[in-house]
Every structure is written in structure tokens, then in C-alpha cells.
Amino acid sequence: MEKMAEAAEGMLASVDGAAHRLLAWPFGPAESSDPEVERRRWFYTPTDHGGLPVGEMTPVQYQRAMALLATGLSEAGYGTVSTIMGLENVLDRTEGFAGTFAGRDRGRDPGRYYLRIFGRPGDRTWGWRFGGHHVSVNSLVVDGELVAATPCFLGADPACSPLLGRAELRPLGGVEGLARELARSLGPEAFGTALLSANPPIDISGGNRSRVSPGDRSIPLPHLFRGRLAEPHHSRMAGAHDAGERAYGLTEGHRDELALPATPRGLPASAMSAGQRELLRTLLDCYLGRAPSALAERLGARYADAGLDGVHFAWAGSVEPGEGCYYRLHGPRLLVEYDNTQRAANHAHSVWRDPEGDFGADVLADHLGFGRG
């Protein structure tokens, strides 16, 4: 991870004063036990993610920020994140360049992606976070090695945009298409086991919690922002959340079905055919493959051969293209959630998490004696 440390050092050296205070943040042992500390706060809405916004950087600083981001992602992951950031301009047009959103002068703003570095690059333990609307990348380095890259959230709004030449821009189209192919390949009995609910949620169940737990449900939209939104924005977003749930006919019973379980629900890979297992593994690799190759390969080894057996595939909603859907991959050290339901199923969310090791909690506890969160 020499390139990562060099990129972070270069970024820190390029700023001073107020900008440096926004960018640099301490890293301490208490962070492994207190879920409210800054390093373990993350968002995926257009709110203040904490750190130095790219819109307040010089061109050189912006380039250095993106160079650091690239070290924490695979080539495909970096390309996807860069595309998602550019979608803010597309979404602005979709919404008629309406101006303010949640109290911000420009609601859909590609300059509102934030970088924060925790600790000193090159120290035994340090990390960084890059996030903004529909992006949250979290990296922890211990003893010169990238040991954690979750939570990792990527979204897309619009999920599908027209391009010239009758082409389409679908940053998350592949991960939805693979899951839909897997769901449609299942026979009636197997699909019945995989189906959580015919009514999909309007957001991921884990939300932006620092730690996921059994019983977690989608968090109401106004509470996904840093701090309490001022009126009338809070009420407007609460109304939008309720309207979205009504559109899909969600009841309290459906919310129970869609809540995160204590043990994985759905169809386990052990009950799948060889072809279905291959589809599942390809889908899983789309999430692990967000990370640089060395970490992706190390994590992927957990799910080789019989290691895949405990991964469960769960579905909610329609299997028809263009209709609202949700899926989950849940198993040992793994929680993946994907939904595409909002904006008439043209607004996608996806997250990859390690319930035991998000933010490197397992490494900090086992090797550095910080204790678990």
C-alpha cells in the first residue's frame, strides 16, 4: 500500500489552514468501541459526509484526492465511482435544475464529495473515507496492508440514462442483471425459498448504520442525513419516504419480512445447481471486486468451493426487467444489499458489508487490542 500512503501524504501536504482541519482527523483506539465516532460515520445521501469537499479543492488537490481514491478501488470500481459522481449533473437535469435540496444551494452537486484522512499515513494504523451522494468508500490500513474496505456503497440515479447511438448508461446494470438472471433461473420451489416478499423495500435494510444487527429495517429518508434537517426539508423527505412505501404497498408485515435476520434467509448456494452457483459467485465477485485485487482475492478465497455453501440469495419484488426489485447476499462475513425501486425503478442502491469486520473492527480487536464495536 505504498502508493496509497504516498497519495494520502501528498494530499495532506497540499492543504493548510481550515482545509487541513477538514481533511485530517485523528485515529484512536476508542474508535473500535464507539459507533458514533467520526471514522465509523458514513452516508449515501447528498449530505455533509465529513471532510474536505472536492469542490473546495484546487485542481491539483482534486487530482490528488482522486489518485488516493483510485488506490482503494479496482479499475472497474474507480470507473464506476467516477461515473456515479458525474450522474449528479444528469440528475440535476432530470429534476429540472431545481436548485436547492435539503437546504443546499445546489442540491445535485458533483463538487460535494468529501475526503477525510484518519491518522497519519505510514503509521501502523490509519485510514481514509471518500463519500458523497451515492458513494461511500472506507479504507483501513494496518501495518502497511489494506485490511478493510467496507462498508462500500455505490448507487445510481438515474440507474439508466440514454446515450447517443441507442446506447444506455447503467453503472449498476450488471449487478442487477446478474441477480435477475439468477432469480429467473430458479424453479418454483427454489424461488419460493429465495423470495422474502413480493413487495420490495424502497431502500436497503441496513441503512447507514455503523454496525448492522438483526431486526434492522430501512431507515426513513430524513434520518439518513448528518444532523436533523430543517423544515420544510425534513417533512418533505418524510412524505417522500411514506409515498414510496405506499407505492409498493408495504405493510408492517412486509417490513418484518424484509428486516435483516439473525441467520441468513433465502436460498443457500448449497441448494443451487452448478450453473446457479457460478452465477452467484460471479455476482458476489462484482462486490468483492470493488476492492483492489490483493484484498479482493484474499476475501474471495473465503467463498471458494464449499466456502460458498453458506451464502444465501434472497429476492423481493418483481423478476421482470424495469420493475422494482431488491436482493440480498447474506452469509459468513458477508452482507450485500441491492435495491432499485425509487423513481419508478430507475434509482439503484447497492452496498457491500462485513458485519463482523466493517471499518476493520475484527483486525483492530484481534491484533491491536482496541476491542470490538
PDB file of all heavy atoms in Angstrom, residues 262-291:
ATOM      1  N   ALA A 262     -31.450 -12.769  12.043  1.00  0.00           N
ATOM      2  CA  ALA A 262     -30.330 -13.215  12.876  1.00  0.00           C
ATOM      3  C   ALA A 262     -29.493 -14.249  12.139  1.00  0.00           C
ATOM      4  O   ALA A 262     -28.263 -14.313  12.297  1.00  0.00           O
ATOM      5  CB  ALA A 262     -30.841 -13.777  14.190  1.00  0.00           C
ATOM      6  N   THR A 263     -30.137 -15.095  11.353  1.00  0.00           N
ATOM      7  CA  THR A 263     -29.439 -16.056  10.498  1.00  0.00           C
ATOM      8  C   THR A 263     -29.907 -15.833   9.064  1.00  0.00           C
ATOM      9  O   THR A 263     -31.058 -15.453   8.844  1.00  0.00           O
ATOM     10  CB  THR A 263     -29.727 -17.506  10.920  1.00  0.00           C
ATOM     11  OG1 THR A 263     -31.146 -17.740  10.905  1.00  0.00           O
ATOM     12  CG2 THR A 263     -29.194 -17.768  12.314  1.00  0.00           C
ATOM     13  N   PRO A 264     -29.042 -16.044   8.081  1.00  0.00           N
ATOM     14  CA  PRO A 264     -29.393 -15.720   6.705  1.00  0.00           C
ATOM     15  C   PRO A 264     -30.674 -16.416   6.239  1.00  0.00           C
ATOM     16  O   PRO A 264     -30.909 -17.581   6.549  1.00  0.00           O
ATOM     17  CB  PRO A 264     -28.184 -16.200   5.907  1.00  0.00           C
ATOM     18  CG  PRO A 264     -27.055 -16.131   6.862  1.00  0.00           C
ATOM     19  CD  PRO A 264     -27.644 -16.517   8.190  1.00  0.00           C
ATOM     20  N   ARG A 265     -31.478 -15.679   5.505  1.00  0.00           N
ATOM     21  CA  ARG A 265     -32.675 -16.218   4.870  1.00  0.00           C
ATOM     22  C   ARG A 265     -32.453 -16.261   3.369  1.00  0.00           C
ATOM     23  O   ARG A 265     -31.599 -15.577   2.827  1.00  0.00           O
ATOM     24  CB  ARG A 265     -33.892 -15.354   5.187  1.00  0.00           C
ATOM     25  CG  ARG A 265     -34.326 -15.369   6.643  1.00  0.00           C
ATOM     26  CD  ARG A 265     -35.566 -14.518   6.831  1.00  0.00           C
ATOM     27  NE  ARG A 265     -36.650 -14.961   5.950  1.00  0.00           N
ATOM     28  CZ  ARG A 265     -37.682 -14.189   5.600  1.00  0.00           C
ATOM     29  NH1 ARG A 265     -37.754 -12.938   6.031  1.00  0.00           N
ATOM     30  NH2 ARG A 265     -38.624 -14.665   4.804  1.00  0.00           N
ATOM     31  N   GLY A 266     -33.260 -17.068   2.696  1.00  0.00           N
ATOM     32  CA  GLY A 266     -33.150 -17.190   1.257  1.00  0.00           C
ATOM     33  C   GLY A 266     -32.680 -18.576   0.863  1.00  0.00           C
ATOM     34  O   GLY A 266     -32.723 -19.524   1.652  1.00  0.00           O
ATOM     35  N   LEU A 267     -32.214 -18.688  -0.359  1.00  0.00           N
ATOM     36  CA  LEU A 267     -31.762 -19.966  -0.909  1.00  0.00           C
ATOM     37  C   LEU A 267     -30.251 -20.075  -0.763  1.00  0.00           C
ATOM     38  O   LEU A 267     -29.514 -19.246  -1.308  1.00  0.00           O
ATOM     39  CB  LEU A 267     -32.153 -20.067  -2.388  1.00  0.00           C
ATOM     40  CG  LEU A 267     -31.825 -21.390  -3.077  1.00  0.00           C
ATOM     41  CD1 LEU A 267     -32.721 -22.517  -2.555  1.00  0.00           C
ATOM     42  CD2 LEU A 267     -31.978 -21.262  -4.596  1.00  0.00           C
ATOM     43  N   PRO A 268     -29.746 -21.086  -0.046  1.00  0.00           N
ATOM     44  CA  PRO A 268     -28.287 -21.211   0.095  1.00  0.00           C
ATOM     45  C   PRO A 268     -27.662 -21.738  -1.184  1.00  0.00           C
ATOM     46  O   PRO A 268     -28.295 -22.465  -1.964  1.00  0.00           O
ATOM     47  CB  PRO A 268     -28.141 -22.212   1.239  1.00  0.00           C
ATOM     48  CG  PRO A 268     -29.374 -23.056   1.171  1.00  0.00           C
ATOM     49  CD  PRO A 268     -30.473 -22.133   0.711  1.00  0.00           C
ATOM     50  N   ALA A 269     -26.411 -21.396  -1.389  1.00  0.00           N
ATOM     51  CA  ALA A 269     -25.702 -21.884  -2.564  1.00  0.00           C
ATOM     52  C   ALA A 269     -25.636 -23.401  -2.579  1.00  0.00           C
ATOM     53  O   ALA A 269     -25.588 -24.022  -3.645  1.00  0.00           O
ATOM     54  CB  ALA A 269     -24.292 -21.300  -2.607  1.00  0.00           C
ATOM     55  N   SER A 270     -25.663 -24.027  -1.402  1.00  0.00           N
ATOM     56  CA  SER A 270     -25.606 -25.488  -1.328  1.00  0.00           C
ATOM     57  C   SER A 270     -26.815 -26.147  -1.979  1.00  0.00           C
ATOM     58  O   SER A 270     -26.761 -27.332  -2.328  1.00  0.00           O
ATOM     59  CB  SER A 270     -25.515 -25.934   0.139  1.00  0.00           C
ATOM     60  OG  SER A 270     -26.632 -25.460   0.878  1.00  0.00           O
ATOM     61  N   ALA A 271     -27.900 -25.387  -2.167  1.00  0.00           N
ATOM     62  CA  ALA A 271     -29.111 -25.929  -2.794  1.00  0.00           C
ATOM     63  C   ALA A 271     -29.224 -25.539  -4.261  1.00  0.00           C
ATOM     64  O   ALA A 271     -30.252 -25.803  -4.895  1.00  0.00           O
ATOM     65  CB  ALA A 271     -30.345 -25.452  -2.037  1.00  0.00           C
ATOM     66  N   MET A 272     -28.178 -24.932  -4.817  1.00  0.00           N
ATOM     67  CA  MET A 272     -28.209 -24.475  -6.199  1.00  0.00           C
ATOM     68  C   MET A 272     -27.518 -25.456  -7.126  1.00  0.00           C
ATOM     69  O   MET A 272     -26.653 -26.235  -6.698  1.00  0.00           O
ATOM     70  CB  MET A 272     -27.529 -23.101  -6.322  1.00  0.00           C
ATOM     71  CG  MET A 272     -28.221 -21.987  -5.570  1.00  0.00           C
ATOM     72  SD  MET A 272     -27.333 -20.404  -5.782  1.00  0.00           S
ATOM     73  CE  MET A 272     -28.300 -19.336  -4.720  1.00  0.00           C
ATOM     74  N   SER A 273     -27.869 -25.384  -8.402  1.00  0.00           N
ATOM     75  CA  SER A 273     -27.174 -26.165  -9.416  1.00  0.00           C
ATOM     76  C   SER A 273     -25.798 -25.571  -9.666  1.00  0.00           C
ATOM     77  O   SER A 273     -25.490 -24.458  -9.222  1.00  0.00           O
ATOM     78  CB  SER A 273     -27.980 -26.159 -10.717  1.00  0.00           C
ATOM     79  OG  SER A 273     -27.961 -24.855 -11.298  1.00  0.00           O
ATOM     80  N   ALA A 274     -24.980 -26.291 -10.397  1.00  0.00           N
ATOM     81  CA  ALA A 274     -23.631 -25.800 -10.687  1.00  0.00           C
ATOM     82  C   ALA A 274     -23.684 -24.472 -11.429  1.00  0.00           C
ATOM     83  O   ALA A 274     -22.919 -23.545 -11.136  1.00  0.00           O
ATOM     84  CB  ALA A 274     -22.868 -26.841 -11.493  1.00  0.00           C
ATOM     85  N   GLY A 275     -24.599 -24.361 -12.392  1.00  0.00           N
ATOM     86  CA  GLY A 275     -24.716 -23.122 -13.145  1.00  0.00           C
ATOM     87  C   GLY A 275     -25.177 -21.964 -12.287  1.00  0.00           C
ATOM     88  O   GLY A 275     -24.707 -20.825 -12.439  1.00  0.00           O
ATOM     89  N   GLN A 276     -26.101 -22.237 -11.389  1.00  0.00           N
ATOM     90  CA  GLN A 276     -26.588 -21.194 -10.489  1.00  0.00           C
ATOM     91  C   GLN A 276     -25.505 -20.759  -9.508  1.00  0.00           C
ATOM     92  O   GLN A 276     -25.382 -19.570  -9.201  1.00  0.00           O
ATOM     93  CB  GLN A 276     -27.829 -21.681  -9.757  1.00  0.00           C
ATOM     94  CG  GLN A 276     -29.043 -21.843 -10.674  1.00  0.00           C
ATOM     95  CD  GLN A 276     -30.131 -22.704 -10.088  1.00  0.00           C
ATOM     96  OE1 GLN A 276     -29.931 -23.374  -9.055  1.00  0.00           O
ATOM     97  NE2 GLN A 276     -31.289 -22.731 -10.733  1.00  0.00           N
ATOM     98  N   ARG A 277     -24.720 -21.710  -9.020  1.00  0.00           N
ATOM     99  CA  ARG A 277     -23.607 -21.367  -8.139  1.00  0.00           C
ATOM    100  C   ARG A 277     -22.601 -20.470  -8.863  1.00  0.00           C
ATOM    101  O   ARG A 277     -22.055 -19.528  -8.280  1.00  0.00           O
ATOM    102  CB  ARG A 277     -22.902 -22.629  -7.638  1.00  0.00           C
ATOM    103  CG  ARG A 277     -23.690 -23.417  -6.606  1.00  0.00           C
ATOM    104  CD  ARG A 277     -22.981 -24.731  -6.294  1.00  0.00           C
ATOM    105  NE  ARG A 277     -21.686 -24.528  -5.674  1.00  0.00           N
ATOM    106  CZ  ARG A 277     -21.479 -24.470  -4.352  1.00  0.00           C
ATOM    107  NH1 ARG A 277     -22.506 -24.588  -3.516  1.00  0.00           N
ATOM    108  NH2 ARG A 277     -20.264 -24.304  -3.867  1.00  0.00           N
ATOM    109  N   GLU A 278     -22.373 -20.755 -10.129  1.00  0.00           N
ATOM    110  CA  GLU A 278     -21.443 -19.937 -10.906  1.00  0.00           C
ATOM    111  C   GLU A 278     -21.978 -18.516 -11.056  1.00  0.00           C
ATOM    112  O   GLU A 278     -21.222 -17.535 -10.932  1.00  0.00           O
ATOM    113  CB  GLU A 278     -21.209 -20.562 -12.279  1.00  0.00           C
ATOM    114  CG  GLU A 278     -20.186 -19.812 -13.117  1.00  0.00           C
ATOM    115  CD  GLU A 278     -19.900 -20.485 -14.445  1.00  0.00           C
ATOM    116  OE1 GLU A 278     -20.403 -21.610 -14.680  1.00  0.00           O
ATOM    117  OE2 GLU A 278     -19.161 -19.886 -15.252  1.00  0.00           O
ATOM    118  N   LEU A 279     -23.283 -18.390 -11.299  1.00  0.00           N
ATOM    119  CA  LEU A 279     -23.895 -17.066 -11.376  1.00  0.00           C
ATOM    120  C   LEU A 279     -23.762 -16.330 -10.043  1.00  0.00           C
ATOM    121  O   LEU A 279     -23.441 -15.135 -10.001  1.00  0.00           O
ATOM    122  CB  LEU A 279     -25.374 -17.187 -11.746  1.00  0.00           C
ATOM    123  CG  LEU A 279     -25.753 -17.225 -13.218  1.00  0.00           C
ATOM    124  CD1 LEU A 279     -27.248 -17.481 -13.367  1.00  0.00           C
ATOM    125  CD2 LEU A 279     -25.377 -15.915 -13.910  1.00  0.00           C
ATOM    126  N   LEU A 280     -24.026 -17.049  -8.954  1.00  0.00           N
ATOM    127  CA  LEU A 280     -23.932 -16.442  -7.629  1.00  0.00           C
ATOM    128  C   LEU A 280     -22.516 -15.962  -7.357  1.00  0.00           C
ATOM    129  O   LEU A 280     -22.308 -14.848  -6.855  1.00  0.00           O
ATOM    130  CB  LEU A 280     -24.368 -17.448  -6.563  1.00  0.00           C
ATOM    131  CG  LEU A 280     -24.230 -16.981  -5.110  1.00  0.00           C
ATOM    132  CD1 LEU A 280     -25.140 -15.795  -4.836  1.00  0.00           C
ATOM    133  CD2 LEU A 280     -24.536 -18.131  -4.142  1.00  0.00           C
ATOM    134  N   ARG A 281     -21.534 -16.787  -7.682  1.00  0.00           N
ATOM    135  CA  ARG A 281     -20.146 -16.402  -7.424  1.00  0.00           C
ATOM    136  C   ARG A 281     -19.744 -15.211  -8.299  1.00  0.00           C
ATOM    137  O   ARG A 281     -19.037 -14.309  -7.847  1.00  0.00           O
ATOM    138  CB  ARG A 281     -19.216 -17.591  -7.668  1.00  0.00           C
ATOM    139  CG  ARG A 281     -17.743 -17.291  -7.368  1.00  0.00           C
ATOM    140  CD  ARG A 281     -17.595 -16.805  -5.930  1.00  0.00           C
ATOM    141  NE  ARG A 281     -16.399 -15.998  -5.747  1.00  0.00           N
ATOM    142  CZ  ARG A 281     -15.342 -16.383  -5.044  1.00  0.00           C
ATOM    143  NH1 ARG A 281     -15.320 -17.572  -4.472  1.00  0.00           N
ATOM    144  NH2 ARG A 281     -14.309 -15.593  -4.901  1.00  0.00           N
ATOM    145  N   THR A 282     -20.204 -15.182  -9.538  1.00  0.00           N
ATOM    146  CA  THR A 282     -19.917 -14.042 -10.412  1.00  0.00           C
ATOM    147  C   THR A 282     -20.525 -12.773  -9.846  1.00  0.00           C
ATOM    148  O   THR A 282     -19.901 -11.699  -9.857  1.00  0.00           O
ATOM    149  CB  THR A 282     -20.450 -14.307 -11.827  1.00  0.00           C
ATOM    150  OG1 THR A 282     -19.851 -15.497 -12.356  1.00  0.00           O
ATOM    151  CG2 THR A 282     -20.131 -13.151 -12.767  1.00  0.00           C
ATOM    152  N   LEU A 283     -21.748 -12.887  -9.336  1.00  0.00           N
ATOM    153  CA  LEU A 283     -22.409 -11.741  -8.720  1.00  0.00           C
ATOM    154  C   LEU A 283     -21.645 -11.279  -7.479  1.00  0.00           C
ATOM    155  O   LEU A 283     -21.407 -10.079  -7.291  1.00  0.00           O
ATOM    156  CB  LEU A 283     -23.847 -12.115  -8.362  1.00  0.00           C
ATOM    157  CG  LEU A 283     -24.686 -11.064  -7.643  1.00  0.00           C
ATOM    158  CD1 LEU A 283     -24.825  -9.804  -8.487  1.00  0.00           C
ATOM    159  CD2 LEU A 283     -26.064 -11.637  -7.297  1.00  0.00           C
ATOM    160  N   LEU A 284     -21.256 -12.211  -6.634  1.00  0.00           N
ATOM    161  CA  LEU A 284     -20.502 -11.863  -5.434  1.00  0.00           C
ATOM    162  C   LEU A 284     -19.199 -11.165  -5.789  1.00  0.00           C
ATOM    163  O   LEU A 284     -18.795 -10.184  -5.139  1.00  0.00           O
ATOM    164  CB  LEU A 284     -20.234 -13.125  -4.613  1.00  0.00           C
ATOM    165  CG  LEU A 284     -19.336 -12.985  -3.386  1.00  0.00           C
ATOM    166  CD1 LEU A 284     -19.879 -11.943  -2.420  1.00  0.00           C
ATOM    167  CD2 LEU A 284     -19.172 -14.331  -2.692  1.00  0.00           C
ATOM    168  N   ASP A 285     -18.532 -11.634  -6.826  1.00  0.00           N
ATOM    169  CA  ASP A 285     -17.262 -11.040  -7.226  1.00  0.00           C
ATOM    170  C   ASP A 285     -17.429  -9.602  -7.721  1.00  0.00           C
ATOM    171  O   ASP A 285     -16.465  -8.822  -7.692  1.00  0.00           O
ATOM    172  CB  ASP A 285     -16.588 -11.889  -8.304  1.00  0.00           C
ATOM    173  CG  ASP A 285     -15.972 -13.162  -7.741  1.00  0.00           C
ATOM    174  OD1 ASP A 285     -15.779 -13.232  -6.507  1.00  0.00           O
ATOM    175  OD2 ASP A 285     -15.682 -14.090  -8.526  1.00  0.00           O
ATOM    176  N   CYS A 286     -18.642  -9.235  -8.167  1.00  0.00           N
ATOM    177  CA  CYS A 286     -18.888  -7.841  -8.544  1.00  0.00           C
ATOM    178  C   CYS A 286     -18.767  -6.915  -7.344  1.00  0.00           C
ATOM    179  O   CYS A 286     -18.439  -5.732  -7.498  1.00  0.00           O
ATOM    180  CB  CYS A 286     -20.281  -7.697  -9.154  1.00  0.00           C
ATOM    181  SG  CYS A 286     -20.490  -8.447 -10.769  1.00  0.00           S
ATOM    182  N   TYR A 287     -19.040  -7.444  -6.153  1.00  0.00           N
ATOM    183  CA  TYR A 287     -18.935  -6.643  -4.940  1.00  0.00           C
ATOM    184  C   TYR A 287     -17.531  -6.713  -4.348  1.00  0.00           C
ATOM    185  O   TYR A 287     -16.921  -5.679  -4.046  1.00  0.00           O
ATOM    186  CB  TYR A 287     -19.990  -7.095  -3.928  1.00  0.00           C
ATOM    187  CG  TYR A 287     -21.384  -6.692  -4.367  1.00  0.00           C
ATOM    188  CD1 TYR A 287     -22.155  -7.524  -5.171  1.00  0.00           C
ATOM    189  CD2 TYR A 287     -21.906  -5.463  -4.005  1.00  0.00           C
ATOM    190  CE1 TYR A 287     -23.415  -7.141  -5.599  1.00  0.00           C
ATOM    191  CE2 TYR A 287     -23.172  -5.068  -4.421  1.00  0.00           C
ATOM    192  CZ  TYR A 287     -23.922  -5.912  -5.218  1.00  0.00           C
ATOM    193  OH  TYR A 287     -25.168  -5.516  -5.656  1.00  0.00           O
ATOM    194  N   LEU A 288     -17.010  -7.923  -4.193  1.00  0.00           N
ATOM    195  CA  LEU A 288     -15.632  -8.041  -3.698  1.00  0.00           C
ATOM    196  C   LEU A 288     -14.667  -7.353  -4.651  1.00  0.00           C
ATOM    197  O   LEU A 288     -13.643  -6.806  -4.223  1.00  0.00           O
ATOM    198  CB  LEU A 288     -15.252  -9.515  -3.554  1.00  0.00           C
ATOM    199  CG  LEU A 288     -16.147 -10.388  -2.669  1.00  0.00           C
ATOM    200  CD1 LEU A 288     -15.597 -11.806  -2.605  1.00  0.00           C
ATOM    201  CD2 LEU A 288     -16.291  -9.804  -1.278  1.00  0.00           C
ATOM    202  N   GLY A 289     -14.998  -7.351  -5.933  1.00  0.00           N
ATOM    203  CA  GLY A 289     -14.145  -6.764  -6.956  1.00  0.00           C
ATOM    204  C   GLY A 289     -14.141  -5.252  -6.990  1.00  0.00           C
ATOM    205  O   GLY A 289     -13.466  -4.654  -7.826  1.00  0.00           O
ATOM    206  N   ARG A 290     -14.873  -4.619  -6.082  1.00  0.00           N
ATOM    207  CA  ARG A 290     -14.732  -3.179  -5.938  1.00  0.00           C
ATOM    208  C   ARG A 290     -13.379  -2.834  -5.325  1.00  0.00           C
ATOM    209  O   ARG A 290     -12.841  -1.756  -5.567  1.00  0.00           O
ATOM    210  CB  ARG A 290     -15.841  -2.625  -5.039  1.00  0.00           C
ATOM    211  CG  ARG A 290     -17.237  -2.787  -5.601  1.00  0.00           C
ATOM    212  CD  ARG A 290     -18.304  -2.301  -4.618  1.00  0.00           C
ATOM    213  NE  ARG A 290     -19.635  -2.404  -5.192  1.00  0.00           N
ATOM    214  CZ  ARG A 290     -20.752  -1.948  -4.626  1.00  0.00           C
ATOM    215  NH1 ARG A 290     -20.678  -1.355  -3.438  1.00  0.00           N
ATOM    216  NH2 ARG A 290     -21.919  -2.067  -5.231  1.00  0.00           N
ATOM    217  N   ALA A 291     -12.861  -3.746  -4.511  1.00  0.00           N
ATOM    218  CA  ALA A 291     -11.605  -3.515  -3.809  1.00  0.00           C
ATOM    219  C   ALA A 291     -10.419  -3.810  -4.724  1.00  0.00           C
ATOM    220  O   ALA A 291     -10.544  -4.518  -5.733  1.00  0.00           O
ATOM    221  CB  ALA A 291     -11.530  -4.408  -2.571  1.00  0.00           C
TER     222      ALA A 291
END
